[in-house]
Amino acid sequence: MDVAEAADRLGVTPRRVRALIAAGQVKATKVGTSWQVETLPDSPRHSRPLSTRSRRMLVHALQYRTLRGLSGTDRARTAARIRALRATDDPAPLLSDWWAGSPHDDSGLFETQLIANAAEGNTDYIRYSVSQHRYEYLRDPDELADVVATERTIRGWSVHQLADTAGTDPADVRLIERGRPAPLRAVRRTLRALDVEPTALPDLQATP
């Protein structure tokens, strides 16, 4: 894999991956002017603690299961960190690294419990907290749009990649993410591809 993919899996920047390669902590081979990463750590515990701002964005995204309000680099990095937590068999050590082992004084209840369980190695609790399987009450088109856009971004998929996975049209995915009426079949297929199980959907759907 290249540096960008390795960074994506570890939830760090490509610059950080190159630093880990230089330090001998990640095994890679130089091919021309680029690095090809051969193996990643079994548990990606080579991340420096996150800034207070980055922690708050990640906690908000995990607690409320949304990337709403984030844009640009903040949105991409937060999504990549959630993706890294989901990708590893044991996300607890990674969270502990990001929080330097303990919650901070200004932490809320969700964050305090999350990091305390990470420090104790409670993998099941952490997996549940970052779980990609979701049961959602989606009567509001804007809520449906947010869930689809958030989960697509966390997976690192483009609109076309989601449409291909769901077996639907990219135009329908765009309609859904804009909160516009879309074919019910496309909505259900899109949610299924994102591992989201709706308990309700908006009434305003286009004909199948």
Side-chain angles (χ1 to χ4, degrees):
M1 75 189 78
D2 61 16
V3 168
E5 183 179 351
D8 195 45
R9 293 192 184 185
L10 292 174
V12 299
T13 64
R15 181 178 179 181
R16 178 61 177 156
V17 172
R18 285 190 284 270
L20 293 172
I21 292 171
Q25 295 177 324
V26 169
K27 188 176 181 181
T29 301
K30 196 73 172 287
V31 179
T33 59
S34 303
W35 286 103
Q36 284 297 311
V37 177
E38 298 175 16
T39 58
L40 293 177
D42 292 335
S43 179
R45 301 190 64 177
H46 301 293
S47 296
R48 291 174 290 188
L50 299 180
S51 67
T52 299
R53 183 168 177 271
S54 293
R55 290 197 309 270
R56 285 175 176 167
M57 288 188 291
L58 180 56
V59 165
H60 185 274
L62 290 174
Q63 182 172 3
Y64 298 103
R65 305 177 75 82
T66 181
L67 295 173
R68 182 181 291 171
L70 299 179
S71 60
T73 302
D74 288 341
R75 184 179 179 91
R77 287 182 176 175
T78 301
R81 286 168 182 141
I82 297 174
R83 187 158 59 247
L85 290 169
R86 289 179 176 180
T88 181
D89 291 334
D90 186 3
L94 183 54
L95 268 177
S96 290
D97 278 356
W98 284 343
W99 261 257
S102 62
H104 295 259
D105 293 339
D106 61 348
S107 301
L109 179 60
F110 176 84
E111 181 179 354
T112 299
Q113 292 180 336
L114 183 71
I115 304 310
N117 277 276
E120 293 171 3
N122 190 342
T123 301
D124 289 340
Y125 182 95
I126 304 303
R127 282 178 179 166
Y128 177 80
S129 298
V130 304
S131 171
Q132 58 189 27
H133 187 82
R134 302 173 58 162
Y135 295 91
E136 296 286 349
Y137 185 83
L138 300 172
R139 293 293 289 176
D140 185 338
D142 289 338
E143 290 296 327
L144 172 62
D146 179 52
V147 166
V148 170
T150 290
E151 286 298 323
R152 177 177 65 79
T153 303
I154 288 173
R155 283 164 172 74
W157 291 350
S158 67
V159 167
H160 280 80
Q161 286 173 314
L162 173 53
D164 287 344
T165 302
T168 190
D169 194 297
D172 290 333
V173 175
R174 293 191 185 95
L175 287 174
I176 295 167
E177 291 194 1
R178 292 170 184 164
R180 303 288 299 279
L184 182 58
R185 179 182 299 176
V187 172
R188 292 192 179 280
R189 286 182 174 181
T190 299
L191 291 174
R192 190 178 303 117
L194 295 171
D195 205 15
V196 175
E197 189 170 337
T199 58
L201 288 171
D203 291 328
L204 297 176
Q205 301 297 329
T207 56

